[in-house]
Amino acid sequence: HVQLVESGGGSVQAGGSLTLTCVASGYTYSSYCMAWFRQDVGKEREGVASLDSDGTTNYLDSVKGRFTVSEDDATNTLYLQMNNLKPEDTAMYVCAAGPGFWGLRDKRWVEHWGQGTQVTVS
């Protein structure tokens, strides 16, 4: 049974920082591509950052230089370090996993989704 459990969201002021955590279980973590998506009310879900099984990272243009995706294979944990947060970063952040990566703009590669953790920037 695959599970992705996120934590670390919260409310911060603009310019602040948060680190999101996604703990994965139920599959071979190191063989999967991982990503963070976000969705605000009334908007489409968008890819924010990804980490391929070979270590390649990809970022949404608007978060480049502010967000960093990383992982700890030993604990099956994916992280998203978010610095210099802006009000437009407000959204539910959701962890995603899939056996192949087709890009942040395409959600069809995702096999498993977490429940999400809310980030609110004011």
Side-chain angles (χ1 to χ4, degrees):
H1 175 62
V2 175
Q3 276 194 309
L4 301 174
V5 181
E6 303 97 331
S7 62
S11 296
V12 296
Q13 292 189 334
S17 298
L18 284 172
T19 300
L20 305 184
T21 298
C22 170
V23 179
S25 61
Y27 67 98
T28 305
Y29 178 85
S30 60
S31 66
Y32 269 53
C33 301
M34 302 294 295
W36 289 97
F37 284 76
R38 68 185 181 187
Q39 187 169 18
D40 199 6
V41 176
K43 295 183 180 179
E44 289 279 329
R45 183 169 290 190
E46 65 178 356
V48 175
S50 66
L51 183 55
D52 209 336
S53 54
D54 66 0
T56 302
T57 57
N58 289 278
Y59 294 94
L60 181 67
D61 283 347
S62 63
V63 308
K64 285 181 180 176
R66 300 188 297 122
F67 290 11
T68 303
V69 62
S70 62
E71 66 185 355
D72 181 347
D73 282 349
T75 60
N76 293 354
T77 303
L78 181 73
Y79 301 98
L80 184 67
Q81 173 67 44
M82 306 185 295
N83 297 324
N84 191 21
L85 282 161
K86 304 177 179 180
E88 52 263 42
D89 295 319
T90 294
M92 180 72 75
Y93 283 71
V94 183
C95 182
F101 179 65
W102 301 347
L104 286 173
R105 296 186 178 185
D106 192 334
K107 295 184 284 293
R108 292 175 296 169
W109 62 273
V110 178
E111 284 193 352
H112 308 292
W113 295 97
Q115 292 298 308
T117 185
Q118 178 67 35
V119 172
T120 302
V121 186
S122 59

